[in-house]
Amino acid sequence: MTSSERVTSRRTVLTAFAAAAAAGTPLIGQLAAAAPAFAEDTEYASNTALYKDPSLVEGTAYSRRYRRHEKFDLKQGEKYDFPRTAILALHGGGIEIGTSELALGIAGYSPSDAAGAPVLPTTYDYWMFEGLLSGGNTALHVTSKNCDDHVALSLARSHLNVLSLHGCTFDQIKLPASEFPATGNRAVAVVGGLNPAFRTALVTEIKNAGFQAVDAYDPKYSSTLADFNGSHVTNPCNLTMLGKGAQIEMTTELRQSLFDDSSSRSARAATWNGEFVKFRDACRRAIATVEAGQPVL
């Protein structure tokens, strides 16, 4: 298949998905012929390339949401806190399900009322990209190191820490079967990024909350987790003021467990459960631990 044919197949299928999403109707059989070619397609080279694709309409095919909290210091004799941590979900919505809802939760907001008042006393800045198609949202995936969204990069570069949330499958991460048998608990969090203190805090808190978690840099796992360790210097989790941050790759089973019904964006927003709260709070405790070592000077 030539490059131009791949682009055509992508646009054919994405246009059909977007039309179905806009109309609120299910897809029908005319996509069957296009789907095999589309599966061979390569992903967008950057967010800019995706945004420029005329077959995609923001608000129908995808959305971008962010929140920055106003902070200021007008008094000469006192010092005030400032946002030190941002939460990112680069592949939210239907791309890597559960990541955008969890980003909102960790940031201090309810996934069922993203535009409302915060539900937790401490809030964090956040940014997310969400796939809104009725199907085929994986076509909207942009590899983290190629993310060039201006708001996402601005948030990363203006914070000491970034926690970036991602989804994977259990089979992709190839953990040793002696510890993680395929027939056992497949809900696992893989913690990466170039900030070792942040990784340690996240693994510790996630485990203490009752979940399985591994450090992608642990020698026991590092050989098979190279693609999931968040090590690239242009990964937004590492484009912080410190040049290092953290990311969590969560298996499908882990993400599904955070909701009573994970089948759609609306279902996830309405059915986040006690497991969601436990995982959310574990991440927030890890952030608090890291920030405690970063006093405002």
Side-chain angles (χ1 to χ4, degrees):
M1 179 184 293
T2 67
S3 175
S4 61
E5 287 172 333
R6 283 196 296 270
V7 171
T8 300
S9 69
R10 175 191 290 280
R11 289 182 176 173
T12 298
V13 178
L14 283 178
T15 300
F17 276 132
T25 57
L27 290 170
I28 52 178
Q30 74 265 25
L31 295 180
F38 183 59
E40 297 173 5
D41 201 0
T42 56
E43 66 178 30
Y44 288 97
S46 65
N47 288 73
T48 296
L50 186 151
Y51 300 154
K52 289 183 177 180
D53 188 335
S55 70
L56 303 177
V57 176
E58 186 163 8
T60 299
Y62 67 90
S63 70
R64 292 173 282 179
R65 288 192 279 166
Y66 74 91
R67 192 159 190 161
R68 303 193 73 161
H69 298 86
E70 183 180 14
K71 298 281 188 179
F72 54 87
D73 181 354
L74 302 178
K75 295 185 178 181
Q76 293 178 327
E78 299 180 32
K79 64 180 180 181
Y80 289 82
D81 204 357
F82 65 94
R84 284 171 283 176
T85 302
I87 315 300
L88 303 182
L90 306 183
H91 311 129
I95 305 172
E96 293 169 357
I97 66 165
T99 57
S100 50
E101 291 83 8
L102 189 58
L104 286 169
I106 296 172
Y109 296 88
S110 168
S112 55
D113 185 20
V119 295
L120 296 173
T122 300
T123 56
Y124 301 101
D125 294 349
Y126 65 79
W127 180 89
M128 65 185 71
F129 176 89
E130 298 177 283
L132 304 181
L133 298 170
S134 59
N137 281 284
T138 54
L140 302 175
H141 184 281
V142 175
T143 299
S144 299
K145 67 181 182 181
N146 295 331
C147 175
D148 64 351
D149 183 276
H150 292 176
V151 178
L153 297 186
S154 174
L155 279 181
R157 294 188 184 279
S158 62
H159 288 73
L160 295 175
N161 315 298
V162 160
L163 175 57
S164 187
L165 305 172
H166 298 270
C168 62
T169 68
F170 181 83
D171 293 335
Q172 284 177 317
I173 53 179
K174 296 180 172 59
L175 292 170
S178 57
E179 294 183 60
F180 300 92
T183 56
N185 183 358
R186 294 164 63 96
V188 185
V190 174
V191 181
L194 294 178
N195 188 331
F198 204 170
R199 293 200 313 270
T200 297
L202 284 164
V203 170
T204 298
E205 294 294 348
I206 291 171
K207 283 185 172 180
N208 287 345
F211 300 93
Q212 297 183 112
V214 299
D215 186 331
Y217 289 82
D218 186 320
K220 292 192 299 181
Y221 315 117
S222 58
S223 63
T224 60
L225 292 178
D227 291 335
F228 301 92
N229 66 13
S231 63
H232 203 282
V233 293
T234 64
N235 184 323
C237 81
N238 296 319
L239 294 177
T240 66
M241 295 168 66
L242 301 176
K244 57 186 179 180
Q247 71 171 36
I248 307 176
E249 291 272 5
M250 297 168 284
T251 62
T252 304
E253 290 81 4
L254 173 56
R255 287 175 284 128
Q256 289 176 335
S257 74
L258 306 180
F259 309 90
D260 293 335
D261 182 355
S262 62
S263 62
S264 67
R265 285 178 291 115
S266 59
R268 290 190 296 274
T271 68
W272 50 284
N273 56 28
E275 295 299 290
F276 179 98
V277 172
K278 288 197 299 183
F279 197 92
R280 175 199 71 185
D281 290 352
C283 293
R284 287 172 62 87
R285 286 193 297 271
I287 292 170
T289 297
V290 171
E291 289 190 346
Q294 300 168 332
V296 179
L297 302 178

